[in-house]
Amino acid sequence: MNIVGILLAGGHSRRFGSNKLLYPLADGQAVAVAAARHLLAAIPDSVAIVRPEALVLGDQLQAFGMRVTYCTKEQQEMSDSLSAAIRYASADRAVDGFVIALADMPYIAPQTIRAVADTLAAGAQIVVPMYQGQRGHPVGFAATFREALENLQGDEGARAIVQQHQARVVKVEVDDAGILRDIDTPADLPDQSKR
């Protein structure tokens, strides 16, 4: 089955104060690069969507093997960039499913991403990872939801689709707290105090 990874890297970083996706983690990797590496390790066929002015980020992600596309200046909401990424990822190939990851979540283990993809490949329609009773990322969608993903609106991303189709959601238990850990402000980077 052809499962494609989608890395959403088109955010504004308003709460962070600068482009958080380029901010170096303790090991020196940029936040988005770490997220991309984990996604690529699990799903080698992956696409990143970035803001049109984020050329440095786009170049870095492409250097690590991501197919990169740029949202337009009119595509300001999360749903806009997600829809554009889905269209780009499936424009020239048949796709059986999508695993949607966020570029500000660099701590998700590749084996967790693989577990989501494998569950999709086994026939699940929507897949969400769970850690100690909490739902996290990345979220997987079968190609059945392609049109719905392409037509999203607003700033909720694909959350509305998950809520509307609870009966089709498969929850995968993982031992990975990284599925809950995103970076919104510098305070979300406690390891930076050691630098």
Side-chain angles (χ1 to χ4, degrees), residues 9-14 16-24 30-32 50-51 53-58 103-104 183:
H12 292 277
S13 302
R14 290 184 183 105
F16 197 84
S18 61
N19 189 346
K20 66 183 175 183
L21 300 182
L22 290 173
Y23 200 85
V31 168
V50 302
R51 299 193 63 71
E53 67 274 12
L55 298 176
V56 170
L57 176 60
D104 65 354
I183 295 170

Side-chain angles (χ1 to χ4, degrees), residues 46-66:
S46 289
V47 171
I49 185 159
V50 302
R51 299 193 63 71
E53 67 274 12
L55 298 176
V56 170
L57 176 60
D59 288 348
Q60 287 186 9
L61 295 174
Q62 200 162 23
F64 277 99
M66 301 288 290

Side-chain angles (χ1 to χ4, degrees), residues 43 104 152:
I43 307 174
D104 65 354
L152 285 170

Side-chain angles (χ1 to χ4, degrees), residues 20-183:
K20 66 183 175 183
L21 300 182
L22 290 173
Y23 200 85
L25 297 170
D27 63 2
Q29 284 187 100
V31 168
V33 169
R37 289 182 78 166
H38 293 171
L39 182 60
L40 285 165
I43 307 174
D45 183 9
S46 289
V47 171
I49 185 159
V50 302
R51 299 193 63 71
E53 67 274 12
L55 298 176
V56 170
L57 176 60
D59 288 348
Q60 287 186 9
L61 295 174
Q62 200 162 23
F64 277 99
M66 301 288 290
R67 290 190 287 144
V68 175
T69 187
Y70 293 86
C71 51
T72 68
K73 291 183 179 179
E74 293 76 34
Q75 295 166 328
Q76 295 297 308
E77 304 290 347
M78 180 187 296
S79 59
D80 295 328
S81 59
L82 174 53
S83 296
I86 295 292
R87 282 191 293 274
Y88 178 83
S90 52
D92 60 351
R93 66 187 72 200
V95 176
D96 298 303
F98 307 92
V99 175
I100 301 168
L102 306 179
D104 65 354
M105 296 189 73
Y107 301 109
I108 300 171
Q111 57 264 33
T112 295
I113 301 167
R114 188 75 248 162
V116 170
D118 288 347
T119 305
L120 270 183
Q125 296 293 297
I126 300 174
V127 184
V128 295
M130 303 288 294
Y131 175 74
Q132 296 184 356
Q134 296 184 73
R135 189 169 71 192
H137 290 276
V139 178
F141 291 91
T144 308
F145 292 99
R146 175 182 168 182
E147 186 174 344
L149 291 166
E150 289 180 349
N151 292 298
L152 285 170
Q153 296 182 343
D155 197 33
E156 281 198 346
R159 184 178 303 157
I161 297 174
V162 175
Q163 291 172 343
Q164 291 168 10
H165 299 279
Q166 285 293 317
R168 298 169 82 177
V169 173
V170 174
K171 297 175 180 177
V172 177
E173 291 290 336
V174 296
D175 186 20
D176 183 2
I179 71 167
L180 308 174
R181 189 175 174 195
D182 66 345
I183 295 170

